Amino acid sequence: MLNISTTSSSTPSDEELIARFQDGDTYAFEQIVMRYKAPLVNFVFHFLGSRIDAEDVVQETFLRVFKNKHLYRNIAKFSTWIYTIAGNLAKTELRRRKRRRVLSLSKMGFEDKEYDIPDFLSSPDQVVDGEMKETKIRNEIQQLPFKFREVVILRDIKDLSYEEISRILKIPIGTVKSRVNRGRLRLQKRLRYLLDQ
Amino acid sequence: MNPCQHFKKHIGKYCEGDLDPLCLKKLEEHLRVCSRCRTLKDNIEQMRICLKQLPDVKVSEGFNLLLRERIRREAIGKSPGTYSTGGRLLIPAMGIALLVLIIGIGVSDQNSSLTSGSLGYRTVAGESEGDFLPFQGKIQYIIEELPSASAVRLERRNDSREPSNSDSMVGSHPPVRVRAIPVSF
Ligand SMILES: [Zn+2]
């Protein structure tokens, strides 16, 4: 019997790779890793702002794919499935960070008060260019409330369709569109001084 | 709804060419007369270009190796214990290990037959009898087993009951055995 992947084009689709992996072909898993590691690390990086943490989350994502390969059903796109896993893990990491911050703040006595280091990028008077502009944009993305951040990242950075975002986040397309719009307006407000230059 | 609010509500669809012809006509008429909405539209379009042009971060070269190691550990049923997760698993383990060691050293100080220098710490990683555990510097070991202070005390009590001269006491005292396994990433 002919294998489906051998009859199709030379580059197997994600769905073909995961099917092969489900049949025990670990080389197919390696190909999935090669295909998705950079897009996923970049996707998670926009949430967490740290490459090391992003890589850690993506490692965990692949580990879960490896362990739960049988849970994937060929009714959804593989990319939707893996982005959902990575997005949920990034969310968990953010929640964990928030808890940790609250905890350390509640432990902080008067004497221990931490003083904020002034952010040289936060002054609109600064001339911002190149790398600084990039950093500023990344920082402002992270300041967005999570529900806006995730849709803006998926739509405007990862270039995913509204349908795909709707499937990943399990929310109606109308809600995705409205959140994208509100997210863009908020981000634009914060980046206005950069964009006017 | 005032026309600027109306424009704001639909600017997303406008930028993506997702508006019905009637709505599009209305918004374009408004854009011609409202500089604020024009600026808003220009800003959002420019911002979307900036977002698309954000450079990708480069994935570490050791990514695949580390993943392979995590999968291998998962397969043999060990928790990954990665350092890259901020030592979430290692730090509590190190804390407990350190506490037990401090208690152990405290006990040894009280015992005149032993000096702290005579305690033998065995590290599997270095295979050097008599080395102290490398607690300083980078955390790079997983502590596998560590006797409790009471177990150490009990062992000593048993030893002291045996007839022997004080010199051989030091030598024959069972060392605190700590098995440290280096993590490979
Ligand atoms: Zn207007």
Side-chain angles (χ1 to χ4, degrees), chain B residues 64-74 184-185:
Chain B
N64 289 9
L65 207 68
L66 178 56
L67 179 63
R68 214 166 290 149
E69 179 62 19
R70 282 178 88 158
I71 289 171
R72 191 186 65 80
R73 279 168 175 268
E74 188 68 32
S184 52
F185 45 84

Side-chain angles (χ1 to χ4, degrees), chain B residues 3-5 7 30 34-38:
Chain B
C4 292
Q5 285 301 321
F7 182 78
H30 176 68
C34 180
S35 63
R36 274 181 67 180
C37 285
R38 256 199 323 269

Side-chain angles (χ1 to χ4, degrees), chain A residues 18-129:
Chain A
I18 186 71
R20 272 162 45 185
F21 179 46
Q22 284 172 330
D23 287 342
D25 178 358
T26 48
Y27 177 65
F29 176 74
E30 279 184 34
Q31 281 181 284
I32 290 172
V33 173
M34 294 313 287
R35 197 172 283 184
Y36 275 95
K37 67 176 178 183
L40 284 180
V41 166
N42 276 281
F43 168 58
V44 177
F45 175 74
H46 292 300
F47 287 104
L48 306 180
S50 149
R51 187 180 51 80
I52 293 171
D53 288 352
E55 285 189 6
D56 199 37
V57 164
V58 175
Q59 293 256 341
E60 186 61 31
T61 305
F62 284 128
L63 197 63
R64 293 201 181 188
V65 170
F66 189 90
K67 284 193 320 196
N68 304 310
K69 59 178 186 283
H70 57 281
L71 294 181
Y72 173 75
R73 297 275 176 275
N74 204 356
I75 43 170
K77 277 175 79 177
F78 175 77
S79 60
T80 306
W81 189 56
I82 200 164
Y83 270 101
T84 307
I85 299 172
N88 286 341
L89 288 170
K91 230 181 272 186
T92 307
E93 171 62 18
L94 281 172
R95 249 182 257 129
R96 204 179 57 79
R97 280 186 186 180
K98 206 172 171 184
R99 263 202 312 273
R100 212 165 43 196
R101 215 169 28 236
V102 170
L103 225 110
S104 61
L105 278 173
S106 64
K107 277 183 183 169
M108 208 186 280
F110 182 75
E111 296 295 319
D112 304 324
K113 188 184 181 307
E114 277 180 6
Y115 293 94
D116 289 333
I117 300 161
D119 177 8
F120 68 98
L121 288 171
S122 63
S123 163
D125 301 332
Q126 297 270 352
V127 178
V128 183
D129 60 350

